[in-house]
Amino acid sequence: MRAKTCVITIALVSASPLAAEDFPQIDVAPQCQRSAEGLEDADVAFEMCMQGQALSFGVLRSLWPSLPLDLRRECTAYGLAEGSYVALRVCIEQAIGPLKAPTL
């Protein structure tokens, strides 16, 4: 049940008309399902994957406007192809180093 909550939360937060430079909408559930397939505890693996996706989503969403536009465009294409906010974050981090969410 919690995995579905993560998917809904991610979809609601990012649901808006998007231009290429806006924050991308990525359906991460299929990627997490594929990564959990065949594992002994697939439900736990799926949940852990979704939690990792939600963490990357939060970090990326908070920093998105401050990232270079060309890097956002390039890495968005990669993240969409992989179906993963983690892949999108890794792409960006390979170019500019580790991302950290701003503290309040």
Side-chain angles (χ1 to χ4, degrees):
M1 184 62 128
R2 286 192 293 170
K4 290 181 182 177
T5 303
C6 289
V7 173
I8 292 168
T9 301
I10 290 171
L12 290 176
V13 172
S14 65
S16 64
L18 297 175
E21 63 274 2
D22 290 333
F23 195 74
Q25 296 179 40
I26 302 174
D27 180 7
V28 299
Q31 190 277 336
C32 285
Q33 288 169 342
R34 284 190 302 275
S35 69
E37 278 179 12
L39 297 178
E40 187 174 319
D41 202 342
D43 291 339
V44 171
F46 176 82
E47 180 65 28
M48 290 178 68
C49 177
M50 292 299 291
Q51 288 174 9
Q53 294 292 338
L55 177 65
S56 288
F57 172 89
V59 170
L60 289 166
R61 183 76 174 151
S62 66
L63 298 173
W64 198 251
S66 68
L67 299 171
L69 181 58
D70 59 335
L71 182 62
R72 286 186 279 164
R73 287 179 176 158
E74 178 183 337
C75 290
T76 292
Y78 179 69
L80 288 170
E82 294 294 317
S84 171
Y85 286 109
V86 173
L88 174 56
R89 182 177 177 177
V90 167
C91 178
I92 290 170
E93 288 180 331
Q94 287 178 339
I96 63 173
L99 299 177
K100 293 185 181 177
T103 56
L104 300 175

